[in-house]
PDB file of all heavy atoms in Angstrom:
ATOM      1  N   ARG T 448       0.842  -1.187   0.014  1.00 46.00           N
ATOM      2  CA  ARG T 448       0.008  -0.010  -0.036  1.00 46.00           C
ATOM      3  C   ARG T 448       0.863   1.227   0.000  1.00 46.00           C
ATOM      4  O   ARG T 448       1.962   1.259   0.559  1.00 46.00           O
ATOM      5  CB  ARG T 448      -0.890   0.021   1.223  1.00 46.00           C
ATOM      6  CG  ARG T 448      -1.931  -1.047   1.193  1.00 46.00           C
ATOM      7  CD  ARG T 448      -2.805  -1.011   2.507  1.00 46.00           C
ATOM      8  NE  ARG T 448      -1.930  -1.397   3.633  1.00 46.00           N
ATOM      9  CZ  ARG T 448      -2.265  -1.210   4.842  1.00 46.00           C
ATOM     10  NH1 ARG T 448      -3.396  -0.654   5.150  1.00 46.00           N
ATOM     11  NH2 ARG T 448      -1.440  -1.600   5.870  1.00 46.00           N
ATOM     12  N   ARG T 449       0.275   2.347  -0.590  1.00 51.00           N
ATOM     13  CA  ARG T 449       1.046   3.590  -0.631  1.00 51.00           C
ATOM     14  C   ARG T 449       0.960   4.210   0.803  1.00 51.00           C
ATOM     15  O   ARG T 449      -0.008   4.027   1.552  1.00 51.00           O
ATOM     16  CB  ARG T 449       0.392   4.516  -1.668  1.00 51.00           C
ATOM     17  CG  ARG T 449       0.507   4.013  -3.080  1.00 51.00           C
ATOM     18  CD  ARG T 449      -0.212   4.917  -4.021  1.00 51.00           C
ATOM     19  NE  ARG T 449       0.279   6.260  -3.960  1.00 51.00           N
ATOM     20  CZ  ARG T 449       1.332   6.666  -4.661  1.00 51.00           C
ATOM     21  NH1 ARG T 449       2.002   5.780  -5.425  1.00 51.00           N
ATOM     22  NH2 ARG T 449       1.755   7.917  -4.603  1.00 51.00           N
ATOM     23  N   PRO T 450       1.983   5.051   1.103  1.00 53.00           N
ATOM     24  CA  PRO T 450       1.950   5.798   2.434  1.00 53.00           C
ATOM     25  C   PRO T 450       0.734   6.600   2.556  1.00 53.00           C
ATOM     26  O   PRO T 450       0.226   7.236   1.606  1.00 53.00           O
ATOM     27  CB  PRO T 450       3.234   6.616   2.375  1.00 53.00           C
ATOM     28  CG  PRO T 450       4.083   5.940   1.359  1.00 53.00           C
ATOM     29  CD  PRO T 450       3.214   5.375   0.396  1.00 53.00           C
ATOM     30  N   ALA T 451       0.222   6.669   3.724  1.00 53.00           N
ATOM     31  CA  ALA T 451      -0.920   7.567   3.941  1.00 53.00           C
ATOM     32  C   ALA T 451      -0.497   9.005   3.903  1.00 53.00           C
ATOM     33  O   ALA T 451       0.593   9.388   4.402  1.00 53.00           O
ATOM     34  CB  ALA T 451      -1.501   7.286   5.314  1.00 53.00           C
ATOM     35  N   VAL T 452      -1.299   9.854   3.239  1.00 53.00           N
ATOM     36  CA  VAL T 452      -0.916  11.257   3.102  1.00 53.00           C
ATOM     37  C   VAL T 452      -1.887  12.108   3.944  1.00 53.00           C
ATOM     38  O   VAL T 452      -3.055  11.936   3.854  1.00 53.00           O
ATOM     39  CB  VAL T 452      -1.030  11.723   1.612  1.00 53.00           C
ATOM     40  CG1 VAL T 452      -0.749  13.211   1.505  1.00 53.00           C
ATOM     41  CG2 VAL T 452      -0.140  10.980   0.720  1.00 53.00           C
ATOM     42  N   LEU T 453      -1.343  12.880   4.830  1.00 54.00           N
ATOM     43  CA  LEU T 453      -2.109  13.689   5.787  1.00 54.00           C
ATOM     44  C   LEU T 453      -2.774  14.826   5.086  1.00 54.00           C
ATOM     45  O   LEU T 453      -2.038  15.663   4.467  1.00 54.00           O
ATOM     46  CB  LEU T 453      -1.175  14.211   6.879  1.00 54.00           C
ATOM     47  CG  LEU T 453      -1.908  14.704   8.150  1.00 54.00           C
ATOM     48  CD1 LEU T 453      -2.672  13.609   8.848  1.00 54.00           C
ATOM     49  CD2 LEU T 453      -0.846  15.329   9.062  1.00 54.00           C
ATOM     50  N   SER T 454      -4.032  14.946   5.113  1.00 50.00           N
ATOM     51  CA  SER T 454      -4.764  16.061   4.528  1.00 50.00           C
ATOM     52  C   SER T 454      -5.080  17.038   5.656  1.00 50.00           C
ATOM     53  O   SER T 454      -5.045  16.752   6.823  1.00 50.00           O
ATOM     54  CB  SER T 454      -6.017  15.604   3.861  1.00 50.00           C
ATOM     55  OG  SER T 454      -6.965  15.143   4.744  1.00 50.00           O
ATOM     56  N   ALA T 455      -5.496  18.251   5.246  1.00 45.00           N
ATOM     57  CA  ALA T 455      -5.773  19.277   6.219  1.00 45.00           C
ATOM     58  C   ALA T 455      -6.957  18.801   7.104  1.00 45.00           C
ATOM     59  O   ALA T 455      -6.935  19.103   8.368  1.00 45.00           O
ATOM     60  CB  ALA T 455      -6.182  20.612   5.546  1.00 45.00           C
ATOM     61  N   ALA T 456      -7.893  18.156   6.512  1.00 45.00           N
ATOM     62  CA  ALA T 456      -9.056  17.695   7.358  1.00 45.00           C
ATOM     63  C   ALA T 456      -8.637  16.644   8.328  1.00 45.00           C
ATOM     64  O   ALA T 456      -9.290  16.570   9.465  1.00 45.00           O
ATOM     65  CB  ALA T 456     -10.141  17.069   6.446  1.00 45.00           C
ATOM     66  N   LEU T 457      -7.613  15.915   8.103  1.00 47.00           N
ATOM     67  CA  LEU T 457      -7.236  14.819   8.990  1.00 47.00           C
ATOM     68  C   LEU T 457      -6.364  15.298  10.116  1.00 47.00           C
ATOM     69  O   LEU T 457      -6.024  14.533  11.025  1.00 47.00           O
ATOM     70  CB  LEU T 457      -6.402  13.744   8.225  1.00 47.00           C
ATOM     71  CG  LEU T 457      -7.272  12.907   7.324  1.00 47.00           C
ATOM     72  CD1 LEU T 457      -6.423  11.910   6.581  1.00 47.00           C
ATOM     73  CD2 LEU T 457      -8.367  12.130   8.096  1.00 47.00           C
ATOM     74  N   PHE T 458      -5.997  16.566  10.137  1.00 48.00           N
ATOM     75  CA  PHE T 458      -5.184  17.065  11.253  1.00 48.00           C
ATOM     76  C   PHE T 458      -5.850  16.865  12.578  1.00 48.00           C
ATOM     77  O   PHE T 458      -5.230  16.621  13.556  1.00 48.00           O
ATOM     78  CB  PHE T 458      -4.948  18.615  11.115  1.00 48.00           C
ATOM     79  CG  PHE T 458      -3.590  18.935  10.523  1.00 48.00           C
ATOM     80  CD1 PHE T 458      -3.444  19.763   9.460  1.00 48.00           C
ATOM     81  CD2 PHE T 458      -2.449  18.550  11.121  1.00 48.00           C
ATOM     82  CE1 PHE T 458      -2.203  20.134   9.039  1.00 48.00           C
ATOM     83  CE2 PHE T 458      -1.228  18.863  10.704  1.00 48.00           C
ATOM     84  CZ  PHE T 458      -1.122  19.596   9.651  1.00 48.00           C
ATOM     85  N   ALA T 459      -7.215  16.957  12.581  1.00 44.00           N
ATOM     86  CA  ALA T 459      -7.886  16.845  13.890  1.00 44.00           C
ATOM     87  C   ALA T 459      -8.410  15.464  14.125  1.00 44.00           C
ATOM     88  O   ALA T 459      -9.061  15.203  15.130  1.00 44.00           O
ATOM     89  CB  ALA T 459      -9.059  17.809  13.905  1.00 44.00           C
ATOM     90  N   LEU T 460      -8.115  14.515  13.183  1.00 40.00           N
ATOM     91  CA  LEU T 460      -8.577  13.134  13.323  1.00 40.00           C
ATOM     92  C   LEU T 460      -7.425  12.172  13.519  1.00 40.00           C
ATOM     93  O   LEU T 460      -6.269  12.541  13.507  1.00 40.00           O
ATOM     94  CB  LEU T 460      -9.296  12.769  11.995  1.00 40.00           C
ATOM     95  CG  LEU T 460     -10.477  13.619  11.602  1.00 40.00           C
ATOM     96  CD1 LEU T 460     -11.008  13.251  10.250  1.00 40.00           C
ATOM     97  CD2 LEU T 460     -11.573  13.615  12.651  1.00 40.00           C
ATOM     98  N   SER T 461      -7.765  10.971  13.800  1.00 38.00           N
ATOM     99  CA  SER T 461      -6.765   9.904  13.950  1.00 38.00           C
ATOM    100  C   SER T 461      -6.031   9.778  12.647  1.00 38.00           C
ATOM    101  O   SER T 461      -6.703   9.760  11.563  1.00 38.00           O
ATOM    102  CB  SER T 461      -7.397   8.603  14.399  1.00 38.00           C
ATOM    103  OG  SER T 461      -7.959   8.734  15.640  1.00 38.00           O
ATOM    104  N   LEU T 462      -4.703   9.547  12.586  1.00 43.00           N
ATOM    105  CA  LEU T 462      -3.964   9.483  11.418  1.00 43.00           C
ATOM    106  C   LEU T 462      -3.622   8.099  11.045  1.00 43.00           C
ATOM    107  O   LEU T 462      -3.033   7.364  11.887  1.00 43.00           O
ATOM    108  CB  LEU T 462      -2.685  10.326  11.644  1.00 43.00           C
ATOM    109  CG  LEU T 462      -2.909  11.829  11.868  1.00 43.00           C
ATOM    110  CD1 LEU T 462      -1.626  12.497  12.293  1.00 43.00           C
ATOM    111  CD2 LEU T 462      -3.484  12.443  10.678  1.00 43.00           C
ATOM    112  N   ALA T 463      -4.008   7.675   9.839  1.00 42.00           N
ATOM    113  CA  ALA T 463      -3.707   6.370   9.375  1.00 42.00           C
ATOM    114  C   ALA T 463      -2.360   6.270   8.809  1.00 42.00           C
ATOM    115  O   ALA T 463      -1.953   7.221   8.086  1.00 42.00           O
ATOM    116  CB  ALA T 463      -4.752   5.944   8.355  1.00 42.00           C
ATOM    117  N   ALA T 464      -1.628   5.127   8.938  1.00 41.00           N
ATOM    118  CA  ALA T 464      -0.330   4.999   8.360  1.00 41.00           C
ATOM    119  C   ALA T 464      -0.380   3.786   7.438  1.00 41.00           C
ATOM    120  O   ALA T 464      -1.097   2.858   7.613  1.00 41.00           O
ATOM    121  CB  ALA T 464       0.634   4.712   9.466  1.00 41.00           C
ATOM    122  N   SER T 465       0.523   3.820   6.486  1.00 40.00           N
ATOM    123  CA  SER T 465       0.674   2.709   5.539  1.00 40.00           C
ATOM    124  C   SER T 465       1.733   1.765   5.985  1.00 40.00           C
ATOM    125  O   SER T 465       2.481   2.037   6.920  1.00 40.00           O
ATOM    126  CB  SER T 465       0.969   3.299   4.152  1.00 40.00           C
ATOM    127  OG  SER T 465       2.322   3.589   4.023  1.00 40.00           O
ATOM    128  N   SER T 466       1.953   0.754   5.171  1.00 39.00           N
ATOM    129  CA  SER T 466       2.942  -0.228   5.516  1.00 39.00           C
ATOM    130  C   SER T 466       4.212  -0.043   4.722  1.00 39.00           C
ATOM    131  O   SER T 466       5.085  -0.923   4.674  1.00 39.00           O
ATOM    132  CB  SER T 466       2.436  -1.640   5.241  1.00 39.00           C
ATOM    133  OG  SER T 466       1.995  -1.790   3.875  1.00 39.00           O
ATOM    134  N   ALA T 467       4.326   1.154   4.048  1.00 45.00           N
ATOM    135  CA  ALA T 467       5.495   1.374   3.310  1.00 45.00           C
ATOM    136  C   ALA T 467       6.755   1.522   4.154  1.00 45.00           C
ATOM    137  O   ALA T 467       6.703   2.105   5.252  1.00 45.00           O
ATOM    138  CB  ALA T 467       5.362   2.747   2.423  1.00 45.00           C
ATOM    139  N   PRO T 468       7.921   0.998   3.804  1.00 45.00           N
ATOM    140  CA  PRO T 468       9.095   1.134   4.575  1.00 45.00           C
ATOM    141  C   PRO T 468       9.654   2.558   4.601  1.00 45.00           C
ATOM    142  O   PRO T 468       9.485   3.293   3.694  1.00 45.00           O
ATOM    143  CB  PRO T 468      10.112   0.116   3.855  1.00 45.00           C
ATOM    144  CG  PRO T 468       9.619   0.156   2.458  1.00 45.00           C
ATOM    145  CD  PRO T 468       8.143   0.255   2.548  1.00 45.00           C
ATOM    146  N   ALA T 469      10.268   2.885   5.696  1.00 46.00           N
ATOM    147  CA  ALA T 469      10.906   4.207   5.849  1.00 46.00           C
ATOM    148  C   ALA T 469      12.148   4.252   4.873  1.00 46.00           C
ATOM    149  O   ALA T 469      12.790   3.217   4.672  1.00 46.00           O
ATOM    150  CB  ALA T 469      11.254   4.489   7.218  1.00 46.00           C
ATOM    151  N   GLN T 470      12.356   5.445   4.410  1.00 48.00           N
ATOM    152  CA  GLN T 470      13.527   5.663   3.478  1.00 48.00           C
ATOM    153  C   GLN T 470      14.730   5.934   4.381  1.00 48.00           C
ATOM    154  O   GLN T 470      14.719   6.761   5.244  1.00 48.00           O
ATOM    155  CB  GLN T 470      13.308   6.841   2.516  1.00 48.00           C
ATOM    156  CG  GLN T 470      12.264   6.492   1.473  1.00 48.00           C
ATOM    157  CD  GLN T 470      12.057   7.703   0.554  1.00 48.00           C
ATOM    158  OE1 GLN T 470      12.351   8.800   0.882  1.00 48.00           O
ATOM    159  NE2 GLN T 470      11.502   7.418  -0.640  1.00 48.00           N
ATOM    160  N   ASP T 471      15.869   5.271   4.074  1.00 46.00           N
ATOM    161  CA  ASP T 471      17.181   5.531   4.792  1.00 46.00           C
ATOM    162  C   ASP T 471      17.935   6.576   3.956  1.00 46.00           C
ATOM    163  O   ASP T 471      18.236   6.408   2.835  1.00 46.00           O
ATOM    164  CB  ASP T 471      17.957   4.257   4.878  1.00 46.00           C
ATOM    165  CG  ASP T 471      17.261   3.242   5.835  1.00 46.00           C
ATOM    166  OD1 ASP T 471      16.680   3.690   6.837  1.00 46.00           O
ATOM    167  OD2 ASP T 471      17.316   2.029   5.546  1.00 46.00           O
ATOM    168  N   ALA T 472      18.229   7.664   4.646  1.00 43.00           N
ATOM    169  CA  ALA T 472      18.983   8.692   4.007  1.00 43.00           C
ATOM    170  C   ALA T 472      20.406   8.711   4.532  1.00 43.00           C
ATOM    171  O   ALA T 472      20.690   8.085   5.514  1.00 43.00           O
ATOM    172  CB  ALA T 472      18.365  10.078   4.233  1.00 43.00           C
ATOM    173  N   ALA T 473      21.321   9.414   3.830  1.00 41.00           N
ATOM    174  CA  ALA T 473      22.721   9.490   4.305  1.00 41.00           C
ATOM    175  C   ALA T 473      22.944  11.027   4.589  1.00 41.00           C
ATOM    176  O   ALA T 473      23.514  11.655   3.799  1.00 41.00           O
ATOM    177  CB  ALA T 473      23.712   9.022   3.239  1.00 41.00           C
ATOM    178  N   PRO T 474      22.440  11.461   5.792  1.00 38.00           N
ATOM    179  CA  PRO T 474      22.603  12.870   6.030  1.00 38.00           C
ATOM    180  C   PRO T 474      24.008  13.345   6.306  1.00 38.00           C
ATOM    181  O   PRO T 474      24.844  12.507   6.676  1.00 38.00           O
ATOM    182  CB  PRO T 474      21.734  13.036   7.352  1.00 38.00           C
ATOM    183  CG  PRO T 474      21.808  11.681   7.973  1.00 38.00           C
ATOM    184  CD  PRO T 474      21.845  10.681   6.879  1.00 38.00           C
ATOM    185  N   PRO T 475      24.243  14.615   6.062  1.00 39.00           N
ATOM    186  CA  PRO T 475      25.602  15.092   6.285  1.00 39.00           C
ATOM    187  C   PRO T 475      26.102  15.196   7.699  1.00 39.00           C
ATOM    188  O   PRO T 475      27.260  15.211   7.998  1.00 39.00           O
ATOM    189  CB  PRO T 475      25.563  16.510   5.613  1.00 39.00           C
ATOM    190  CG  PRO T 475      24.116  16.938   5.741  1.00 39.00           C
ATOM    191  CD  PRO T 475      23.348  15.645   5.642  1.00 39.00           C
ATOM    192  N   LYS T 476      25.076  15.261   8.636  1.00 80.00           N
ATOM    193  CA  LYS T 476      25.427  15.382  10.036  1.00 80.00           C
ATOM    194  C   LYS T 476      24.366  14.717  10.867  1.00 80.00           C
ATOM    195  O   LYS T 476      23.204  14.679  10.477  1.00 80.00           O
ATOM    196  CB  LYS T 476      25.585  16.857  10.436  1.00 80.00           C
ATOM    197  CG  LYS T 476      26.061  17.030  11.890  1.00 80.00           C
ATOM    198  CD  LYS T 476      26.505  18.439  12.163  1.00 80.00           C
ATOM    199  CE  LYS T 476      27.067  18.590  13.633  1.00 80.00           C
ATOM    200  NZ  LYS T 476      27.505  19.877  13.917  1.00 80.00           N
ATOM    201  N   ALA T 477      24.739  14.248  12.019  1.00 93.00           N
ATOM    202  CA  ALA T 477      23.814  13.548  12.877  1.00 93.00           C
ATOM    203  C   ALA T 477      23.819  14.196  14.245  1.00 93.00           C
ATOM    204  O   ALA T 477      24.856  14.654  14.736  1.00 93.00           O
ATOM    205  CB  ALA T 477      24.178  12.010  13.059  1.00 93.00           C
ATOM    206  N   TYR T 478      22.642  14.268  14.890  1.00 97.00           N
ATOM    207  CA  TYR T 478      22.514  14.831  16.208  1.00 97.00           C
ATOM    208  C   TYR T 478      21.849  13.754  17.114  1.00 97.00           C
ATOM    209  O   TYR T 478      20.897  13.145  16.719  1.00 97.00           O
ATOM    210  CB  TYR T 478      21.592  16.072  16.193  1.00 97.00           C
ATOM    211  CG  TYR T 478      22.127  17.284  15.505  1.00 97.00           C
ATOM    212  CD1 TYR T 478      22.084  17.444  14.172  1.00 97.00           C
ATOM    213  CD2 TYR T 478      22.850  18.259  16.245  1.00 97.00           C
ATOM    214  CE1 TYR T 478      22.639  18.576  13.523  1.00 97.00           C
ATOM    215  CE2 TYR T 478      23.406  19.360  15.638  1.00 97.00           C
ATOM    216  CZ  TYR T 478      23.310  19.529  14.264  1.00 97.00           C
ATOM    217  OH  TYR T 478      23.755  20.649  13.696  1.00 97.00           O
ATOM    218  N   ARG T 479      22.433  13.637  18.262  1.00 97.00           N
ATOM    219  CA  ARG T 479      21.802  12.751  19.232  1.00 97.00           C
ATOM    220  C   ARG T 479      21.134  13.638  20.283  1.00 97.00           C
ATOM    221  O   ARG T 479      21.741  14.488  20.876  1.00 97.00           O
ATOM    222  CB  ARG T 479      22.869  11.948  19.921  1.00 97.00           C
ATOM    223  CG  ARG T 479      22.354  11.033  21.045  1.00 97.00           C
ATOM    224  CD  ARG T 479      23.373   9.964  21.436  1.00 97.00           C
ATOM    225  NE  ARG T 479      23.151   9.436  22.778  1.00 97.00           N
ATOM    226  CZ  ARG T 479      22.172   8.661  23.074  1.00 97.00           C
ATOM    227  NH1 ARG T 479      21.284   8.274  22.209  1.00 97.00           N
ATOM    228  NH2 ARG T 479      21.999   8.206  24.344  1.00 97.00           N
ATOM    229  N   VAL T 480      19.794  13.476  20.441  1.00 98.00           N
ATOM    230  CA  VAL T 480      18.986  14.369  21.237  1.00 98.00           C
ATOM    231  C   VAL T 480      18.256  13.457  22.325  1.00 98.00           C
ATOM    232  O   VAL T 480      17.602  12.506  22.010  1.00 98.00           O
ATOM    233  CB  VAL T 480      17.996  15.108  20.395  1.00 98.00           C
ATOM    234  CG1 VAL T 480      17.115  15.994  21.303  1.00 98.00           C
ATOM    235  CG2 VAL T 480      18.735  15.902  19.326  1.00 98.00           C
ATOM    236  N   MET T 481      18.408  13.943  23.519  1.00 98.00           N
ATOM    237  CA  MET T 481      17.625  13.355  24.609  1.00 98.00           C
ATOM    238  C   MET T 481      16.489  14.248  25.024  1.00 98.00           C
ATOM    239  O   MET T 481      16.671  15.462  25.177  1.00 98.00           O
ATOM    240  CB  MET T 481      18.512  13.026  25.831  1.00 98.00           C
ATOM    241  CG  MET T 481      17.659  12.488  27.031  1.00 98.00           C
ATOM    242  SD  MET T 481      18.665  12.198  28.548  1.00 98.00           S
ATOM    243  CE  MET T 481      19.511  10.685  28.019  1.00 98.00           C
TER     244      MET T 481
END
């Protein structure tokens, strides 16, 4: 299934998610945040 796309109307509703895998990027810098 395609990733769920959040519409303006859905901001106030429960948000549905798809089963699409997350994309792995190679960012230039990483931050560790607690």
Side-chain angles (χ1 to χ4, degrees):
R448 292 177 294 167
R449 296 175 60 84
V452 177
L453 192 67
S454 67
L457 288 179
F458 258 126
L460 302 174
S461 298
L462 297 170
S465 79
S466 58
Q470 291 181 338
D471 291 324
K476 185 167 183 179
Y478 290 86
R479 177 167 158 73
V480 179
M481 176 182 285

